[in-house]
Amino acid sequence: MKIEFNTLHWDNTPSEIIDSHKSVTEHLNIPVNYYNENTNHGLWMDRICRQSKSDIIGFFDSDCIPLDHSKIMDCVRYVFRSKTFLGVAQVSNHIPPKSHVYAAPAFYLIHKECWQQLQTSLTETWRSDVGEELTYNAEDKGIRYRCLYPDTFEKEPSEGLWPLGNFGYYGIGTTFAGTVYHLYQARMGQNIELFVKRCREVISGEFDNSTHYDSKIFNY
């Protein structure tokens, strides 16, 4: 089984984000190919998938870090065994119906044969955010896939918490299934320090989300 992981960052991505991301992936022994390109996210993913010679093609957003090597490998083995794809659970709350849960590419794994079978671009469409159209296509064809659902989040975004279908909520600093931590909105300077701090905690073994907000809370 051949695996690869890829991360895209633009020129406007703060250097602290990339440096911290690299420190975590290196610490957890997860080799990542870093691309500095000012390009469309979905079209970049299409190109990586098209050109890849790997069995499993993986992606991390520049503000999404792995928390546990073994859990990442559990996800890899599932995708390899099932010849499918996996991502963090997300909803495009700015696109109707605003309730479709899909495998989002903040952390994403896809089997090369699955990608070849679906032949669906990962870029945005009139009904889909990045990666969502592939989930729609898989659902239409009856292809089973997996999502990692959120455990906790740290902060409410300025526009309010993001509903996740009928599951609950997610926001700034979301932990998904104890497997990855996604800052979201890394472009906002006030959250850079938070991301750097969490990366340091992962490396020191002190990351703890037990005091963060439960994603299934009912008081929102």
Side-chain angles (χ1 to χ4, degrees):
M1 176 175 58
K2 187 176 180 181
I3 315 161
E4 67 173 77
F5 290 97
N6 306 278
T7 293
L8 173 68
H9 60 99
W10 296 274
D11 286 345
N12 63 355
T13 303
S15 60
E16 300 95 323
I17 294 288
I18 298 303
D19 291 343
S20 296
H21 195 281
K22 288 180 178 179
S23 68
V24 171
T25 57
E26 289 171 2
H27 173 73
L28 293 178
N29 193 27
I30 300 175
V32 175
N33 304 312
Y34 288 90
Y35 294 79
N36 182 193
E37 300 180 19
N38 296 315
T39 188
N40 177 276
H41 189 190
L43 293 179
W44 170 78
M45 292 181 72
D46 288 347
R47 190 184 81 225
I48 296 295
C49 290
R50 183 172 60 251
Q51 297 176 349
S52 177
K53 304 299 182 184
S54 299
D55 300 302
I56 304 298
I57 308 159
F59 298 92
F60 288 104
D61 272 1
S62 61
D63 62 347
C64 182
I65 54 171
L67 296 175
D68 185 291
H69 182 275
S70 64
K71 289 185 178 181
I72 295 293
M73 292 310 299
D74 285 343
C75 294
V76 168
R77 283 187 285 270
Y78 164 76
V79 170
F80 181 74
R81 182 176 63 250
S82 303
K83 293 186 177 180
T84 186
F85 63 98
L86 172 152
V88 297
Q90 194 164 295
V91 164
S92 300
N93 286 296
H94 60 298
I95 304 174
K98 303 181 181 181
S99 59
H100 178 241
V101 179
Y102 69 100
F107 168 58
Y108 198 75
L109 298 167
I110 188 165
H111 197 289
K112 183 64 180 274
E113 291 185 21
C114 181
W115 181 81
Q116 291 170 331
Q117 178 184 358
L118 289 172
Q119 285 294 307
T120 303
S121 175
L122 290 154
T123 195
E124 307 94 322
T125 72
W126 62 272
R127 66 171 182 173
S128 303
D129 207 337
V130 177
E132 188 173 4
E133 194 64 27
L134 190 140
T135 294
Y136 270 126
N137 197 4
E139 290 167 346
D140 290 343
K141 294 182 176 180
I143 295 175
R144 299 178 68 86
Y145 64 94
R146 295 290 294 272
C147 284
L148 302 183
Y149 278 77
D151 303 312
T152 61
F153 62 91
E154 294 197 71
K155 294 171 61 179
E156 181 174 344
S158 59
E159 66 271 27
L161 284 177
W162 303 312
L164 185 64
N166 64 0
F167 178 81
Y169 299 90
Y170 60 112
I172 304 300
T174 299
T175 299
F176 290 89
T179 303
V180 297
Y181 170 88
H182 191 191
L183 179 68
Y184 288 103
Q185 298 184 344
R187 66 189 182 279
M188 296 184 175
Q190 66 264 36
N191 293 321
I192 295 174
E193 185 176 338
L194 176 62
F195 184 74
V196 172
K197 179 181 180 181
R198 296 303 176 230
C199 288
R200 289 174 178 163
E201 290 173 349
V202 172
I203 292 170
S204 65
E206 298 174 315
F207 181 86
D208 180 8
N209 67 333
S210 62
T211 61
H212 300 176
Y213 297 102
D214 188 338
S215 287
K216 299 183 294 297
I217 54 178
F218 283 90
N219 56 333
Y220 278 88

